[in-house]
Amino acid sequence: MHSAHTWPISANMLSFGNRAPDGGHIKDAPAAVWASQLRQVRELGFDYIDPTDAWVPLAALSDARVDEFGTVLSDEGLAISSVSMTRNSVVDVEHGEQNLADAHRLIDLAPTFGATIVNTGFMQAITPAQSEQIWFWLVEGHVDDPALRELAIERVRELGDHARSNGIQLSLEMYEDTFIGTPDEAVQFISDVDHDAVGLNPDLGNLIRLHRPMPHFTEMFAKVLPYSNFWHIKNYSRDHDPATGAYSSAPLPLKYGYINYRQMIRLALDLGYSGPFCCEHYGSDSLGVCAENREYILQVLTSALA
């Protein structure tokens, strides 16, 4: 069990995107470009990052470039607590087998960086209609095919076996309209997988932002936190006008959004949560908001663990 000040709280590197200044992919950029972005994170007080594959896909790097990445990371005074796969489902009809292979490579790479979690899920690429919106979640995206559920369970178990053999854990990110798109579906899926190295990422921000009916956040967290081993943590405003049926939502710092994270983090600790936190935010100065969120989490942990 960590103390408040040693608890891994990382910045998700998603906000930097995957384009280098020269227009090429960030994975092919000189190490100095990685260093410049990592330095911004370190200057905001982070000790950890999550190098999501929506930024630098470690699984796609050669061994030499992985070593180069590790050197830059160390030079900038940062460590990795988790590695997230983003929109690369292992049951994607077209790319599922490659995504599965990438997940295995990440499970091999993660412990070499000191990471304890590889995070994946069943969300898939944003659709053209979603990409035209201010916020992509305003339009329905990919919906999982129930016929692929057994394959999903089989591949998650395979990854769980690999993770356990490497002394780490696999976490499955909750996301709407996937096999783990509601708390009940997530608990059922994780129960069907039935693997001691596989847990949930209770990223209920992904659900709270949706313009559709939703149970209260306390009800949802109570169901999934007992199975959680990692946490993409973010918050949103949420409003519903019963007279018109209209919903509204927008990203907000943890402290100000609809979800009361002081309550939910304390509940998680009471239920035995011991995994890393990974700060996420969309819009505005995402990285700056993540830094504020790290300080908020630290304060809540300090109070809860006193």
Side-chain angles (χ1 to χ4, degrees):
M1 195 70 172
H2 304 287
S3 71
H5 287 276
T6 62
W7 207 296
I9 306 172
S10 70
N12 193 315
M13 298 296 286
L14 181 66
S15 62
F16 288 102
N18 61 14
R19 290 293 128 198
D22 65 0
H25 198 288
I26 192 71
K27 70 180 176 60
D28 302 316
V33 173
W34 300 343
S36 174
Q37 295 179 349
L38 290 168
R39 194 169 304 129
Q40 294 178 56
V41 176
R42 188 70 186 92
E43 287 171 349
L44 285 168
F46 280 99
D47 296 316
Y48 296 94
I49 65 160
D50 184 313
T52 169
D53 58 4
W55 179 57
V56 175
L58 297 182
L61 299 183
S62 66
D63 290 344
R65 289 233 80 189
V66 168
D67 290 344
E68 191 175 9
F69 183 88
T71 298
V72 171
L73 190 73
S74 177
D75 288 347
E76 297 303 326
L78 287 162
I80 295 175
S81 52
S82 58
V83 183
S84 291
M85 296 182 69
T86 304
R87 301 189 180 279
N88 288 309
S89 169
V90 296
V91 291
D92 182 304
V93 173
E94 185 176 356
H95 304 292
E97 291 188 2
Q98 181 59 57
N99 293 341
L100 180 64
D102 288 345
H104 277 296
R105 177 155 166 78
L106 289 178
I107 289 170
D108 280 332
L109 288 174
T112 70
F113 286 101
T116 59
I117 293 286
V118 169
N119 173 76
T120 189
F122 303 108
M123 69 287 283
Q124 297 193 23
I126 289 175
T127 66
Q130 287 182 306
S131 67
E132 294 172 358
Q133 309 304 311
I134 294 177
W135 306 118
F136 62 83
W137 54 84
L138 299 180
V139 173
E140 184 178 283
H142 166 79
V143 178
D144 269 339
D145 180 355
L148 295 174
R149 189 175 185 275
E150 287 305 311
L151 178 62
I153 290 172
E154 176 187 326
R155 289 184 170 177
V156 166
R157 283 181 183 150
E158 176 186 328
L159 293 172
D161 286 345
H162 189 184
R164 180 172 55 197
S165 70
N166 281 4
I168 65 171
Q169 293 191 320
L170 187 75
S171 194
L172 302 178
E173 180 176 351
M174 294 182 63
Y175 198 90
E176 77 268 13
D177 303 325
T178 67
F179 300 124
I180 47 177
T182 70
D184 288 339
E185 290 171 339
V187 170
Q188 186 60 59
F189 190 90
I190 209 73
S191 298
D192 290 346
V193 169
D194 191 23
H195 200 291
D196 60 0
V198 181
L200 289 177
N201 170 359
D203 190 355
L204 295 185
N206 288 338
L207 305 185
I208 289 298
R209 68 193 180 191
L210 300 176
H211 289 194
R212 62 176 79 168
M214 196 66 56
H216 194 269
F217 67 84
T218 54
E219 176 185 341
M220 294 197 288
F221 273 116
K223 290 180 178 180
V224 299
L225 284 176
Y227 303 90
S228 299
N229 61 356
F230 176 55
W231 203 338
H232 279 175
I233 191 165
K234 56 181 179 281
N235 214 346
Y236 295 82
S237 65
R238 179 174 173 85
D239 191 27
H240 175 235
D241 181 359
T244 64
Y247 289 89
S248 64
S249 62
L252 285 175
L254 293 183
K255 186 176 178 180
Y256 302 109
Y258 172 69
I259 298 170
N260 183 336
Y261 275 110
R262 186 174 300 277
Q263 291 180 350
M264 293 305 98
I265 292 172
R266 281 179 165 267
L267 174 61
L269 297 178
D270 288 343
L271 293 170
Y273 181 78
S274 60
F277 294 90
C278 177
C279 297
E280 293 187 322
H281 185 76
Y282 286 96
S284 63
D285 176 7
S286 296
L287 188 60
V289 173
C290 284
E292 292 182 4
N293 287 345
R294 185 201 66 249
E295 291 301 310
Y296 172 82
I297 295 167
L298 177 60
Q299 192 283 319
V300 174
L301 290 173
T302 300
S303 173
L305 297 174

